[in-house]
Amino acid sequence: MDPTDSDIVRVFSLNCWGIRYMSKHCQQRYVMIGEMLSIEKHDIVLLQEVWSEKDFLFLKNKLSYTHPHSHYFKSGVIGSGLAVFTKYRIHDTFLYRYSLNGYPYMAHHGDWFGGKAVGMVILTIGGRTAHVYVTHLHAEYCREKDSYLPHRVVQAWELQQFIRHTSAGADLVIVGGDLNMHPQDLGNRLLRSYTALKDSYLETTLYAGCEDGVTLIANNPFINKKELGPFKTGIRIDYILFKGSSKIDIHCDAMSVTKGSVPNHPFPYSDHEALTSTLRLKSHQPDENLHCTDFLRTSQDKHNEARTEVKVGLHCTERMRYTAARTGVMGLALLLLQLAIAAVPWLALGAEQPFPKTSFYLLALLCFAILLTTSLLYVFYTIELKCLQGAEDQMRLCVGHLQERLRGFPLAQPHNVLQCPLP
Amino acid sequence: MDPTDSDIVRVFSLNCWGIRYMSKHCQQRYVMIGEMLSIEKHDIVLLQEVWSEKDFLFLKNKLSYTHPHSHYFKSGVIGSGLAVFTKYRIHDTFLYRYSLNGYPYMAHHGDWFGGKAVGMVILTIGGRTAHVYVTHLHAEYCREKDSYLPHRVVQAWELQQFIRHTSAGADLVIVGGDLNMHPQDLGNRLLRSYTALKDSYLETTLYAGCEDGVTLIANNPFINKKELGPFKTGIRIDYILFKGSSKIDIHCDAMSVTKGSVPNHPFPYSDHEALTSTLRLKSHQPDENLHCTDFLRTSQDKHNEARTEVKVGLHCTERMRYTAARTGVMGLALLLLQLAIAAVPWLALGAEQPFPKTSFYLLALLCFAILLTTSLLYVFYTIELKCLQGAEDQMRLCVGHLQERLRGFPLAQPHNVLQCPLP
């Protein structure tokens, strides 16, 4: 069978770094991105960090002929930053907001305000139902001392859950986005092993791009080389993943990643590199080479590792909540003490003792601020604790189920690895 | 075929009203509930408002023999209050937190702190995969002037999306919970029409309970009759819904609802009545009587109604955000004015003018409090706006898709109503 138009799907993914007035050359870069997309005419375009809806509308207008169907996912204070453009009609969409996503008081990191999420759109490609996901996980600001690691592990856990539970009716699944995780990071292994998604970079026949498929590279003029740390040439944190089903097999024929510059332009599209995968769909060929038992065993190891990470996060959050509570109680005690001091001269009417009003009110203001801040923090840490506990519970349940499957292993559907670990 | 043990599934649902130290006779009622459940031995028990994990653990301990498998869903500041007990092994769980759920400053209503959500557990019942959902939607405090209506409509929308997208691989679907909506309320119609779920009360062959299937009744001693308003005898807001698949047909043989009292006990289990449905599973009989075109048309009407409701919510929120911003700017202006006034005597050193320190600091404290509160409110309303806009976008997309289907209607799979409106 010769490949027809609908048998080849070209997928594009880019973190646009679109913080208006803060990201360098933001407007010009959107013009460049719009022009490139309208020339390249990818079938599916998955964009992240399109923080401003105005920029989305600019692209929507620019791509109205080449990509008539689009969706912008709204979430959080600023937005999720996720956008999809495609030539296929979008039948349905669904958004899942990650339960944990940094801290509101870490405003300079800004992740909390972004409302990180995973968006799904359902398309029909040549009569086949495609579930396409776009996501952006919490950034890693310091690899050595990464206080957001439990958050990112929980996000990866929720991402695999969301994909797994919402893709049962799909003929093919495509996931694109900035996972903010290196290929061998725990969250990435969790995601790939649980969903059986394949990595375009690892599966492709032809590859064009920097060595090791890096997508955050030292050659990009917007990158601060210090931030790359020991990874001198760059890191791979953006991905296009895919999988077929019992009906469809997918193969990645080609993959390309930009190299930090764009011909005839003074700067690249973004601080991240752009990814393009050419996927070829064909009717299913049963694959007999799956080793489900090994698969279950490695899944179990990943599970235990993830639970440990989440437990570390739990202890940290408990400690922080305790500190907030203690500070709050101290603030309250000080406020009450002040009230008592203030009450004394008023009770002893006519004593006319000198009363240090200025320092009194300043101190009261301070106590009040402490009380309010610690109360808000206490509520926030409680929510975080519940989310971490919830994820840990779910992981424990899955480990139990995996152990059960390992004991008496019935090799149910050898062609679908998804059916192996979980129903 | 005679019905075997796995062909009959008894489902129980109860809103436990379990606010420790606030709900009347909370501890004694949990003891009663535990005893009843261990005697009745329902196959699946879906509980709501189990706010304290201690109470969940008490029930878990009490039901360890009759219901060895259980799950408690954690979310929000207090928790989601959702718990599942079952005799079937739980293979997997997933929680979806509703994007909108009241306001944190409406602390006396408390919904925001509860972190309302829908929980899913996956069970295997006699070789069939069952997706079981438990949920609790935002309460309706005033039917005439219901400021939470857009929130509840968005929750119902997200609930139907979650069920629809996560149940593609299920042989049967069971949903139980306190929807806080009357049978003909918009959200309820949205949910039932989109998911094609059937209502136990409407489908049952045998029914035992109060007239009209009411679950919040005037005869219940915990109910304040005034809250029922014009519905003198009670309202029906708790439901057990179900549906089969292309493999399984389900029929509701019997349904019972408690009548506000428990024999040999001085008070009932809760302020809500308890629901029990006896569902019979059998192999699929294709149903040729589906009128998909009519179905699409009524779906479209519901859609438009829901969009209108969400738009009303959008306008309200925009107005409230504007008010918060304006008040905040006023607070800031007053604070700056105060600073300017304070700077004058300090600049004119030695002038020794009398300075009203007390009122000055009190006013500064007030300005500071206004500024902080309005900032928080602004952020909160912005998040609410994004959620409402997101839901409205998704609804618009679905309406477009429905219109397209209505124009050239291909009757694809007559046996599965779910396939009618959306892929």
Side-chain angles (χ1 to χ4, degrees), chain B residues 62-207:
Chain B
K62 181 97 187 166
L63 305 174
S64 54
Y65 290 104
T66 54
H67 301 80
H69 308 288
S70 61
H71 193 75
Y72 186 60
F73 292 97
K74 285 165 188 145
S75 143
V77 184
I78 301 167
S80 70
L82 305 173
V84 177
F85 293 93
T86 172
K87 71 173 197 183
Y88 308 109
R89 175 170 286 282
I90 297 175
H91 298 300
D92 207 352
T93 63
F94 193 28
L95 182 75
Y96 180 87
R97 291 159 196 86
Y98 297 123
S99 61
L100 287 177
N101 186 34
Y103 304 100
Y105 54 81
M106 298 296 264
H108 59 296
H109 285 167
D111 291 75
W112 186 86
F113 292 90
K116 297 271 163 70
V118 46
M120 175 180 78
V121 296
I122 300 183
L123 318 167
T124 308
I125 303 178
R128 292 129 171 175
T129 304
H131 287 210
V132 179
Y133 301 82
V134 56
T135 191
H136 181 200
L137 266 54
H138 197 292
E140 182 184 73
Y141 294 99
C142 172
R143 197 165 173 83
E144 288 71 43
K145 213 178 162 183
D146 183 13
S147 56
Y148 297 114
L149 184 58
H151 285 213
R152 210 174 311 102
V153 169
V154 170
Q155 288 188 346
W157 172 260
E158 291 178 348
L159 175 60
Q160 68 79 11
Q161 274 198 317
F162 183 72
I163 294 173
R164 208 156 40 80
H165 289 302
T166 56
S167 65
D171 295 325
L172 62 142
V173 174
I174 296 168
V175 182
D178 172 6
L179 301 185
N180 270 313
M181 299 186 291
H182 295 216
Q184 285 311 311
D185 280 2
L186 172 60
N188 221 331
R189 283 179 287 143
L190 261 186
L191 171 66
R192 285 217 305 276
S193 74
Y194 261 80
T195 56
L197 282 163
K198 291 175 182 172
D199 185 341
S200 281
Y201 172 72
L202 299 177
E203 302 285 329
T204 186
T205 309
L206 297 170
Y207 171 72

Side-chain angles (χ1 to χ4, degrees), chain A residues 235-255:
Chain A
I235 54 178
R236 187 157 83 91
I237 57 172
D238 298 83
Y239 300 84
I240 293 176
L241 310 170
F242 63 89
K243 74 169 175 186
S245 63
S246 57
K247 288 188 198 164
I248 303 288
D249 267 348
I250 309 190
H251 187 258
C252 183
D253 282 350
M255 194 203 184

Side-chain angles (χ1 to χ4, degrees), chain A residues 51 53 60 70-79 89-99 112-113 120 122 124 129 131 157-158 161-162 164-169 357-358 361-362 364-365 368-369 372 376 379 382-383 386-387 389-390 393-394 396-398 400-401 404 422-423, chain B residues 51 53 60 70-79 89-99 112-113 120 122 124 129 131 157-158 161-162 164-169 357-358 361-362 364-365 368-369 372 376 379 382-383 386-387 389-390 393-394 396-398 400-401 404 422-423:
Chain A
W51 294 123
E53 198 174 350
K60 186 179 165 132
S70 60
H71 192 76
Y72 186 59
F73 292 98
K74 285 165 187 141
S75 141
V77 184
I78 302 168
R89 175 170 285 282
I90 298 175
H91 298 299
D92 207 352
T93 63
F94 193 28
L95 182 75
Y96 181 87
R97 291 159 196 85
Y98 297 123
S99 61
W112 186 85
F113 293 89
M120 174 180 78
I122 300 183
T124 309
T129 303
H131 288 210
W157 173 259
E158 290 177 348
Q161 273 197 319
F162 183 72
R164 207 155 42 79
H165 289 302
T166 57
S167 65
K357 278 180 184 169
T358 313
Y361 286 112
L362 272 179
L365 186 68
F368 179 76
L372 193 77
L376 288 174
V379 167
T382 306
I383 295 175
K386 294 271 173 198
C387 291
Q389 283 168 350
D393 283 355
Q394 292 178 346
R396 193 179 55 233
L397 199 129
C398 279
H401 183 54
E404 179 122 321
L422 296 159
Chain B
W51 294 123
E53 198 174 349
K60 187 179 164 131
S70 61
H71 193 75
Y72 186 60
F73 292 97
K74 285 165 188 145
S75 143
V77 184
I78 301 167
R89 175 170 286 282
I90 297 175
H91 298 300
D92 207 352
T93 63
F94 193 28
L95 182 75
Y96 180 87
R97 291 159 196 86
Y98 297 123
S99 61
W112 186 86
F113 292 90
M120 175 180 78
I122 300 183
T124 308
T129 304
H131 287 210
W157 172 260
E158 291 178 348
Q161 274 198 317
F162 183 72
R164 208 156 40 80
H165 289 302
T166 56
S167 65
K357 277 180 185 168
T358 314
Y361 285 113
L362 273 179
L365 186 68
F368 179 75
L372 194 76
L376 289 175
V379 168
T382 306
I383 295 175
K386 293 270 172 198
C387 292
Q389 283 168 349
D393 282 354
Q394 291 178 346
R396 194 180 53 232
L397 200 128
C398 279
H401 183 53
E404 178 121 323
L422 297 160

Side-chain angles (χ1 to χ4, degrees), chain A residues 96-161:
Chain A
Y96 181 87
R97 291 159 196 85
Y98 297 123
S99 61
L100 287 177
N101 187 35
Y103 304 99
Y105 54 82
M106 298 296 264
H108 60 296
H109 285 167
D111 292 73
W112 186 85
F113 293 89
K116 296 270 163 73
V118 46
M120 174 180 78
V121 295
I122 300 183
L123 318 168
T124 309
I125 303 177
R128 292 129 171 178
T129 303
H131 288 210
V132 178
Y133 301 82
V134 56
T135 192
H136 181 199
L137 266 55
H138 196 293
E140 183 183 74
Y141 294 97
C142 171
R143 198 165 172 82
E144 288 71 43
K145 212 180 164 184
D146 183 13
S147 57
Y148 297 114
L149 184 58
H151 286 213
R152 210 175 312 101
V153 170
V154 170
Q155 287 187 347
W157 173 259
E158 290 177 348
L159 175 61
Q160 68 79 13
Q161 273 197 319

